[in-house]
Amino acid sequence: KTSLDDKESSGINAEYGAVREYLCLRAYLDTHQAYNDWCSHSANRPTTPTFEGGEGGTFSEQVAVEEKKKSHELAMQRWEQHLIVQTQLTRDKMLNVLLFIDGGWMIDEVDTGDVERREQLESLRRVCIPSTTFLLVNVLTESGQDAAVVELADYLASEQYQLYTLFTKEELRKFLVRVYESSIRCGCDPLGFNEPVAEEQPTEEN
């Protein structure tokens, strides 16, 4: 009976592991689809049309120019709104991989004792986690979300996730450089704390 119970338990763990592995791979593919969509939309920024026939033109020409300007402004507003949505979606998809539930992305929640499988999954994590991180840094930087890049450093340094263990020394160096650059742009020190605003010194009265 014990042997049968062990086999049943092993079978359940294997099935659960297969489902979890599928969800991990699906999440990773979703990040690339979201990133490709973000790149496509970013590259399709509405071009600024030429506004000829404005001042000095006939009344009809001036009206046509004004209509063209309004049309361009509306197109830009729609593009910017869609970019904000796509950026947030891409960020969420990538964080879903980096901070995958129940132990981490491509980590078996139940240890089966299969050393070869564990090593294969670890190798996959060492490739995919850093690459996803740098893609996310690019998205956030290009979108002007430097504070989110600084926040990302907290996730990498977290002992809960231990993502830093998946980076080579060179990858960590490059990442920290990007964090430092973002921290300067968003007015934080390299550790992510807001830089204090210099207080105005009172002037002495005569």
Side-chain angles (χ1 to χ4, degrees):
K1 185 176 179 180
T2 303
S3 178
L4 287 175
D5 289 342
D6 290 343
K7 288 182 179 180
E8 289 180 0
S9 178
S10 177
I12 292 173
N13 289 340
E15 290 178 5
Y16 180 80
V19 171
R20 179 176 172 82
E21 183 175 329
Y22 167 78
L23 293 176
C24 287
L25 292 174
R26 182 71 265 173
Y28 184 71
L29 293 175
D30 286 346
T31 66
H32 280 268
Q33 182 60 57
Y35 180 73
N36 289 337
D37 292 342
W38 179 85
C39 289
S40 176
H41 185 72
S42 297
N44 288 320
R45 178 188 178 97
T47 56
T48 304
T50 56
F51 302 112
E52 297 179 355
E55 295 183 7
T58 65
F59 177 74
S60 297
E61 289 174 337
Q62 292 179 20
V63 171
V65 168
E66 288 301 317
E67 289 297 324
K68 187 182 289 188
K69 287 182 179 179
K70 290 180 181 178
S71 178
H72 176 66
E73 290 174 359
L74 288 173
M76 280 298 301
Q77 289 176 5
R78 288 193 295 268
W79 179 83
E80 290 172 351
Q81 290 170 356
H82 190 113
L83 182 62
I84 291 173
V85 172
Q86 187 60 48
T87 299
Q88 185 62 42
L89 175 65
T90 304
R91 176 179 180 272
D92 291 346
K93 294 289 187 183
M94 291 184 172
L95 284 178
N96 186 39
V97 168
L98 298 179
L99 311 179
F100 204 83
I101 61 172
D102 297 333
W105 186 79
M106 295 304 281
I107 291 181
D108 288 330
E109 190 175 0
V110 179
D111 189 0
T112 61
D114 189 336
V115 176
E116 183 179 358
R117 172 178 169 78
R118 189 163 58 243
E119 290 177 349
Q120 289 175 345
L121 295 181
E122 180 72 6
S123 297
L124 194 59
R125 282 167 54 78
R126 289 185 179 279
V127 172
C128 296
I129 293 298
S131 66
T132 300
T133 300
F134 283 111
L135 287 180
L136 179 54
V137 169
N138 290 340
V139 170
L140 296 174
T141 301
E142 292 296 323
S143 303
Q145 299 185 29
D146 289 297
V149 175
V150 177
E151 182 183 3
L152 188 58
D154 293 333
Y155 293 132
L156 256 69
S158 170
E159 286 299 322
Q160 178 183 354
Y161 303 108
Q162 297 187 357
L163 298 178
Y164 62 89
T165 63
L166 303 172
F167 287 66
T168 65
K169 289 183 179 180
E170 180 61 18
E171 287 170 338
L172 278 177
R173 186 192 68 79
K174 290 181 179 179
F175 174 74
L176 291 176
V177 168
R178 299 294 298 274
V179 171
Y180 177 79
E181 293 170 348
S182 289
S183 70
I184 298 300
R185 285 192 295 268
C186 71
C188 300
D189 69 12
L191 296 178
F193 298 104
N194 291 330
E195 292 184 348
V197 178
E199 296 182 359
E200 185 176 350
Q201 297 297 325
T203 57
E204 297 183 0
E205 295 183 358
N206 293 330

